[in-house]
Amino acid sequence: MLYVIAAVFLFSLLFLWFGYFEGADGVIHWEKFQEQKVVETTVHEFRLGPFVLAVPGESYAILEYFNGSHIVPNTSASYFFLAIVMAAAIMLLTLITTLPRFWYFTGMGLFIVFVVSLRVEVLALGGYTNQVPVAVVLLMYVLPSFYFNQIKSHISFVSRTVSFFVITLFLALFIHFFSGVDYPFYHLALTLYTPALILSILFIIMIAHEILASFVFIVGQGSSKTLQHLSIISVIYLANVIITCFHELGVIESNFVYINLFLLLTISATLGLWGFRQREQMYQNILPFAPYGAYFFLCLGIVCFATTGQMLNNANDPAVKIIRDFIIFSHTGFGVIFLTYLFSNFILMLARNLPVYKVLYSPTRMPYFTFRFAGLIAMLGFVFYSNWREYIYHGLGGFYNFAGDLHTLLDNRGYAESFYDQGHSQAFQNHRSNYALATIKASRYDFDDAHYNYELANGKRPTPYSLTNAGNLYLWENKNTEAISRYHYALRELPDAGPIQNNLGFAYSKTHQVDSALLYLNAARHHEISKISAETNFFALATMEAVPIKIDSVLNLFNSHPGTISNALALSTLQKQKFSTPVKPLEEKRLNLYTATLLNNYIVRYAQTLDTTFIHEAHRIASDSLNEDYSEAIKSSLAFAYYHRGNVTKALEILGELAYITQSYQGKFNYIMGLWALEQGNPVLASSYFTYSDTYTYKDAKFYNAIALSEARRKPEALIMWDTVANGRDEAKKEIAARMKRVLNLGPTEALSLNDAEKYQYCRYNIALRDSVLFNKILNNFISADYKAQAILDISRRYYEADMMAPAIRYYRRIAGLELSNKKLYEDVRHLELLMLAYRGELNLLASQINKDITFDDSRLLEKALYTALIASSNGDSTLAEKNFRILGVYNPYFEEGVIAAANFYRDQNQDRIKPYNILAEAIQINGNSIRLLKAYVAEATRQGFDDYAASAAERLTSLEAAAAN
């Protein structure tokens, strides 16, 4: 039994020290708050006449800072406290049953007071909230104890102990199943607070002199200078104790190595068992030391350690202050009086080097009781000097904190706040109450009162959490300068706190003080807790402030956290840097902010090169209901990937759906679709997108609408829109608008005197297909071969799109012989030839031209698929042809050659009669301004017998052909 109790004693001591080192971490933890900054990057650029247009994509940079959480009561510590203290109480009850009659009744009286103080009635056992449960519990313990003490006194100690533990286990089960309140055992832990605190203080007083008593034993082992040695070590010890005492009283504030009070308690308690055995002669008429006296001492120690551990693990600093002050006051008061007791009784023996420790508690002059009484008076002197009422108030403050925790668990927020407020009122400037109140008030944006409570929480016993949160309040109020000042104060209090350094760097980044931000973020990197956040913030800062760094080199030094990598990707996209660090963005199927941002930024970074397998898996993840919070952003970025794989239909479908669902982003999505429509050669549709985007005043929608209207050669509307741009604030765009208005308003004769760039613009935006004489006249006046070739290529393509192949070919042949210096222009010329050959069915010549070192980049995937399908079909490889035509029929309605060729292929296959019609019908739903598509549709609708649809499309076709000629 002794070994079991000793093990519990040691375990309780470890519990105390765990709570000491855990500190506020037992009930508060760091939360990371993120701010996402949109980083607009360019997914790709394309040239449209004289303009280079950039299609914007959105990467995201994550900035994060630390914030102390709300109080999370440490229920494990409280339940451990309850279990251990109740076990010790059962052991003490068992000891009481072994005492003589008088001491038995005295002990039982104290035990009854202990049980009543637990207020079992608050548990509403069986629905009873009166004293009936208390009476029943008392009878369950009192009757067996009386039986063991007065009737069957021969029953062994172990049997008695087991009996009481069985009763306790039964009561615990009954409470668990029949209590009328939630968290019944936490209620009991709360009501146990007061008696446990009292017993802890009594134990501290009981062992206060044990270190000095051990000195007597140590020097007694020698044979010379006992008095001298004892005097020296006692004076050194007491000097340190007194200095520490004055420090606790606030008399001394200097930086000094003070005694750790819990170490003092631990040593005294450990030595106390030996000392209690030495004093056996004083209590042996009540109970012998072996084993009952040892049990008694160890049980009191268990109560003290468990109680102190519970307070430390729950960071209940008002209650901890009581324990701390009584440790130092008792050791100071009883220490001084013990030396008086020692020298008054045994100075002669010490001088003669006699073993005083053997008779230490057999005084000759000053009775042991006098020492105890005088020591108590000395201790109380310190208590009264410190204003004894404060200890009552701090005790109440600790109780109210405990009660606030209970109601926090019960989710009774009003009651919890009320109890914390009571704790704040009773124990002034205690950290626990004020921190809890500050977090509650901050959560409802009551920042003024939160500031007040954080000031009080940081007044005496600040923690990294309270110091950090005090600065965070200013961040939330957009008072960045005040936040920086507050973080600097926090670092003066705790110079090596990584979260505070990170938050200071974060605050500096908000004020664009890059050097200071980098300084503190680098300091935060050297702490494990803040390393990842600091590195994430470093790349976010570099992205937002365009700091030139070698991304891969820096990443080799950093942690490979998704937040860090995602910010590095955003920086890489923004600065168009090569990114070689391996990334696996599809590993996590259930996304969080970091992995979702990583996936999004990866898609934007590699939108032009992602393969179909990756795109489909990313879309599946984004579509998962578990990832709903991130679905919109990822899908909008995936639209770029689909677009660059040639699947324009899917890209438009995604953005169209998102624009319908999310009103706030309709401007952005219509803006992007407008740019795509321009790139695909449908300026009329692009104008409608930009017009809609402009209703949300999104970016440069007016400017791009003016370009679209100019491309559509709707001159009156274009001039109005350019006027609007000219009246804007952007000087560069105002200059462009002025030049465009001049070009659009020029007459034919004035065009001849323009420079080549302006002549090209005039040809592109003013000359209709029927104005071949004027075009030829201007063409002969070009000096630059590149401008001349570009003008010819444009008019040839216009004839081709109007399905006027003869003039298209005639003009195209005029490019031959021109010495072109623009490689991109040369490639465009060659690829237009391939398209016209494919459209006319000249497959042998097509194959011959393809073999002449023509390259196909990712932007020409569908063209390559078309030529592959046509050649495969002509060679009888229907499987390869069908594979490619299946893609061509649905991917891009603006790639008219592919759509028409797919419809022709499926018509020839005769497997699905309606499929050719469906392909063409779906294409004109999106690209309804295509002359060639409409011609193919009219023919197919007539073939299918859909005469009304054919007639309607024919009317539309007639108007488009008339417009194309003008």
Side-chain angles (χ1 to χ4, degrees):
M1 181 65 76
L2 178 62
Y3 292 114
V4 173
I5 299 175
V8 176
F9 178 87
L10 179 61
F11 195 66
S12 301
L13 182 59
L14 293 175
F15 175 61
L16 181 154
W17 281 102
F18 178 81
Y20 175 80
F21 288 111
E22 185 80 351
D25 296 345
V27 291
I28 311 171
H29 60 271
W30 287 116
E31 295 176 335
K32 292 183 180 181
F33 286 3
Q34 289 82 24
E35 280 191 12
Q36 254 194 346
K37 299 292 186 182
V38 176
V39 181
E40 185 172 290
T41 55
T42 298
V43 177
H44 80 287
E45 296 178 336
F46 65 94
R47 175 171 287 280
L48 191 69
F51 301 101
V52 176
L53 307 183
V55 179
E58 288 187 352
S59 296
Y60 297 93
I62 299 176
L63 288 142
E64 65 182 25
Y65 60 96
F66 288 87
N67 188 73
S69 68
H70 285 269
I71 294 291
V72 181
N74 192 334
T75 54
S76 298
S78 297
Y79 290 145
F80 178 81
F81 157 71
L82 174 65
I84 293 298
V85 173
M86 291 307 298
I90 296 306
M91 288 300 302
L92 290 172
L93 174 61
T94 309
L95 284 173
I96 291 171
T97 66
T98 67
L99 298 178
R101 184 181 181 86
F102 172 79
W103 294 109
Y104 165 73
F105 284 114
T106 302
M108 286 307 299
L110 293 173
F111 182 78
I112 290 169
V113 171
F114 172 80
V115 172
V116 171
S117 69
L118 294 180
R119 298 187 62 198
V120 180
E121 65 273 13
V122 302
L123 303 180
L125 295 174
Y128 291 96
T129 56
N130 51 25
Q131 297 302 312
V132 171
V134 181
V136 171
V137 171
L138 285 174
L139 287 174
M140 292 179 71
Y141 285 112
V142 170
L143 291 178
S145 74
F146 184 81
Y147 176 78
F148 293 139
N149 184 263
Q150 298 295 318
I151 301 174
K152 293 288 186 179
S153 57
H154 64 276
I155 295 177
S156 69
F157 186 85
V158 173
S159 298
R160 299 180 189 199
T161 304
V162 171
S163 299
F164 286 124
F165 270 105
V166 169
I167 292 170
T168 305
L169 180 60
F170 171 77
L171 283 174
L173 291 172
F174 189 85
I175 289 169
H176 176 74
F177 289 107
F178 297 101
S179 174
V181 297
D182 293 327
Y183 297 98
F185 293 111
Y186 206 91
H187 279 80
L188 282 177
L190 172 59
T191 55
L192 183 60
Y193 164 86
T194 302
L197 180 59
I198 294 171
L199 288 173
S200 299
I201 292 171
L202 291 176
F203 180 75
I204 291 167
I205 293 171
M206 179 177 159
I207 61 173
H209 69 291
E210 295 294 353
I211 294 177
L212 284 169
S214 71
F215 292 163
V216 177
F217 174 79
I218 292 169
V219 299
Q221 306 304 306
S223 59
S224 63
K225 297 183 180 180
T226 302
L227 178 60
Q228 183 180 351
H229 292 160
L230 179 64
S231 299
I232 291 172
I233 61 176
S234 297
V235 167
I236 293 173
Y237 165 74
L238 273 180
N240 280 278
V241 169
I242 291 169
I243 290 171
T244 304
C245 180
F246 286 161
H247 175 68
E248 291 294 314
L249 289 170
V251 176
I252 298 176
E253 296 292 343
S254 60
N255 291 326
F256 189 79
V257 180
Y258 300 104
I259 296 175
N260 185 302
L261 300 183
F262 297 109
L263 180 61
L264 198 62
L265 173 64
T266 301
I267 296 172
S268 297
T270 305
L271 296 172
L273 184 61
W274 172 83
F276 195 63
R277 188 186 71 174
Q278 293 295 101
R279 299 196 296 276
E280 183 179 10
Q281 60 187 1
M282 297 181 174
Y283 58 80
Q284 61 184 356
N285 63 321
I286 304 174
L287 79 167
F289 174 80
Y292 301 143
Y295 293 170
F296 174 76
F297 181 89
L298 291 173
C299 286
L300 285 182
I302 288 169
V303 171
C304 179
F305 294 152
T307 303
T308 307
Q310 192 276 340
M311 295 169 181
L312 289 169
N313 277 282
N314 277 280
N316 198 346
D317 56 309
V320 171
K321 175 178 170 55
I322 298 174
I323 297 292
R324 287 176 58 88
D325 284 3
F326 271 90
I327 291 171
I328 193 61
F329 293 165
S330 63
H331 279 71
T332 305
F334 281 95
V336 171
I337 302 302
F338 182 78
L339 277 185
T340 306
Y341 164 82
L342 181 64
F343 289 134
S344 66
N345 286 303
F346 308 109
I347 190 168
L348 293 177
M349 292 181 67
L350 289 168
R352 294 171 185 169
N353 300 318
L354 297 175
V356 172
Y357 69 91
K358 294 182 178 181
V359 293
L360 184 59
Y361 297 107
S362 299
T364 57
R365 299 181 61 187
M366 181 179 179
Y368 182 78
F369 171 78
T370 304
F371 149 64
R372 279 295 183 188
F373 186 70
L376 181 64
I377 292 172
M379 183 195 73
L380 290 176
F382 290 112
V383 173
F384 281 102
Y385 177 82
S386 299
N387 187 0
W388 63 273
R389 293 182 181 84
E390 282 205 8
Y391 294 101
I392 297 174
Y393 297 148
H394 275 76
L396 289 171
F399 177 82
Y400 286 130
N401 285 339
F402 210 154
D405 292 348
L406 171 61
H407 286 283
T408 297
L409 291 172
L410 294 171
D411 203 26
N412 295 333
R413 298 182 183 179
Y415 282 113
E417 183 175 356
S418 177
F419 279 115
Y420 288 135
D421 195 48
Q422 286 289 330
H424 144 76
S425 300
Q426 296 291 341
F428 182 69
Q429 282 191 320
N430 85 82
H431 178 274
R432 185 63 146 70
S433 303
N434 284 293
Y435 181 89
L437 288 170
T439 54
I440 290 170
K441 291 172 181 177
S443 66
R444 61 173 183 250
Y445 307 106
D446 185 0
F447 292 137
D448 289 339
D449 285 345
H451 277 301
Y452 170 72
N453 286 119
Y454 277 131
E455 288 295 327
L456 294 178
N458 292 325
K460 290 183 178 178
R461 292 174 287 275
T463 63
Y465 303 104
S466 56
L467 290 167
T468 301
N469 288 10
N472 291 351
L473 287 181
Y474 290 109
L475 287 181
W476 299 343
E477 295 176 290
N478 290 320
K479 297 177 180 178
N480 297 322
T481 304
E482 290 87 342
I484 290 170
S485 175
R486 192 68 201 184
Y487 291 138
H488 276 297
Y489 167 78
L491 282 179
R492 288 194 294 272
E493 292 289 316
L494 299 172
D496 207 33
I500 299 174
Q501 292 169 336
N502 177 80
N503 283 25
L504 183 53
F506 172 83
Y508 272 123
S509 72
K510 293 178 76 70
T511 59
H512 305 288
Q513 298 182 56
V514 178
D515 291 342
S516 297
L518 291 175
L519 173 68
Y520 286 103
L521 291 177
N522 186 56
R525 282 190 62 240
H526 295 93
H527 303 276
E528 189 63 30
I529 190 172
S530 55
K531 177 178 173 61
I532 290 174
S533 297
E535 292 174 353
T536 299
N537 287 339
F538 171 84
F539 273 112
L541 177 65
T543 302
M544 294 185 299
E545 301 295 339
V547 178
I549 60 173
K550 294 182 178 179
I551 298 171
D552 285 321
S553 299
V554 175
L555 276 177
N556 287 333
L557 304 174
F558 281 11
N559 195 295
S560 58
H561 185 266
T564 308
I565 301 297
S566 63
N567 285 351
L569 280 167
L571 180 61
S572 169
T573 307
L574 183 68
Q575 296 186 353
K576 296 181 172 60
Q577 267 198 57
K578 183 181 178 182
F579 191 89
S580 303
T581 302
V583 184
K584 296 180 179 179
L586 297 178
E587 271 191 336
E588 295 295 328
K589 307 306 179 185
R590 181 163 187 175
L591 302 177
N592 55 36
L593 181 66
Y594 301 113
T595 54
T597 305
L598 174 63
L599 179 56
N600 179 85
N601 290 358
Y602 186 88
I603 292 168
V604 173
R605 175 69 178 82
Y606 297 108
Q608 298 184 59
T609 57
L610 292 176
D611 58 49
T612 305
T613 303
F614 181 99
I615 295 170
H616 287 164
E617 177 62 13
H619 191 271
R620 188 193 66 77
I621 292 172
S623 301
D624 192 326
S625 59
L626 295 175
N627 301 320
E628 184 179 0
D629 292 341
Y630 313 105
S631 177
E632 178 187 312
I634 295 173
K635 283 185 176 180
S636 65
S637 295
L638 276 173
F640 294 111
Y642 278 114
Y643 181 84
H644 285 285
R645 296 312 294 174
N647 198 344
V648 177
T649 302
K650 183 66 174 179
L652 291 173
E653 176 189 316
I654 290 173
L655 289 194
E657 179 184 347
L658 293 176
Y660 178 77
I661 294 172
T662 57
Q663 292 289 326
S664 56
Y665 289 104
Q666 289 199 9
K668 178 180 81 170
F669 295 142
N670 278 282
Y671 181 84
I672 294 169
M673 288 190 287
L675 287 169
W676 285 347
L678 275 180
E679 186 176 19
Q680 295 298 326
N682 194 334
V684 175
L685 181 60
S687 176
S688 68
Y689 282 132
F690 288 129
T691 300
Y692 202 82
S693 179
D694 187 40
T695 62
Y696 291 87
T697 61
Y698 187 79
K699 291 172 65 64
D700 300 322
K702 287 184 173 66
F703 177 73
Y704 288 114
N705 195 12
I707 293 175
L709 290 169
S710 301
E711 288 288 324
R713 281 168 287 281
R714 290 158 61 170
K715 187 183 294 187
E717 296 172 65
L719 285 170
I720 294 172
M721 192 54 63
W722 284 119
D723 266 333
T724 306
V725 175
N727 292 326
R729 296 180 180 179
D730 190 317
E731 293 299 325
K733 290 183 175 59
K734 287 168 71 173
E735 184 178 342
I736 292 172
R739 289 204 303 267
M740 285 299 297
K741 286 168 62 181
R742 176 170 173 267
V743 167
L744 291 174
N745 284 314
L746 281 174
T749 55
E750 297 170 295
L752 295 173
S753 61
L754 299 174
N755 59 43
D756 279 2
E758 291 173 329
K759 285 175 188 171
Y760 169 69
Q761 292 178 48
Y762 183 87
C763 291
R764 186 176 182 90
Y765 298 121
N766 287 289
I767 294 180
L769 293 181
R770 67 173 186 275
D771 295 332
S772 57
V773 174
L774 176 60
F775 178 75
N776 290 330
K777 189 174 182 181
I778 296 175
L779 198 63
N780 292 329
N781 280 277
F782 275 102
I783 299 172
S784 167
D786 284 343
Y787 273 117
K788 184 174 184 178
Q790 186 67 64
I792 295 171
L793 183 65
D794 286 354
I795 197 102
S796 177
R797 182 177 284 115
R798 285 173 61 191
Y799 277 117
Y800 171 63
E801 289 171 353
D803 204 26
M804 301 166 68
M805 293 302 297
I809 295 171
R810 185 173 65 251
Y811 276 109
Y812 177 82
R813 286 173 176 167
R814 293 180 66 177
I815 299 175
L818 294 177
E819 295 185 6
L820 305 182
S821 59
N822 187 321
K823 183 178 179 181
K824 176 69 167 58
L825 174 60
Y826 176 70
E827 290 294 324
D828 289 345
V829 169
R830 297 190 70 189
H831 281 285
L832 179 60
E833 180 185 13
L834 296 183
L835 283 174
M836 289 194 291
L837 289 173
Y839 188 67
R840 293 166 61 193
E842 299 180 26
L843 301 184
N844 290 332
L845 188 55
L846 172 66
S848 174
Q849 291 297 100
I850 289 175
N851 291 329
K852 292 180 180 178
D853 297 326
I854 289 186
T855 58
F856 294 87
D857 59 24
D858 287 339
S859 66
R860 300 185 185 277
L861 289 175
L862 292 185
E863 293 178 27
K864 185 177 181 181
L866 172 63
Y867 308 145
T868 302
L870 289 172
I871 293 171
S873 179
S874 69
N875 292 334
D877 188 351
S878 60
T879 302
L880 178 60
E882 199 278 334
K883 176 183 175 182
N884 286 280
F885 279 126
R886 185 170 62 250
I887 292 172
L888 292 165
V890 296
Y891 262 38
N892 188 357
Y894 297 107
F895 186 48
E896 298 148 5
E897 297 85 351
V899 174
I900 295 169
N904 292 339
F905 173 80
Y906 285 110
R907 185 186 313 109
D908 294 340
Q909 293 293 305
N910 291 319
Q911 293 179 355
D912 186 349
R913 179 175 173 273
I914 201 68
K915 189 166 186 176
Y917 173 81
N918 288 338
I919 290 173
L920 293 167
E922 289 173 7
I924 65 169
Q925 294 299 314
I926 298 173
N927 189 12
N929 296 321
S930 168
I931 291 175
R932 286 179 294 166
L933 275 181
L934 281 170
K935 281 185 176 180
Y937 174 77
V938 169
E940 186 62 33
T942 302
R943 190 177 297 110
Q944 296 285 346
F946 302 143
D947 295 336
D948 291 341
Y949 292 155
S952 176
E955 290 180 14
R956 171 70 176 154
L957 177 61
T958 302
S959 63
L960 286 174
E961 287 176 330
N966 294 321

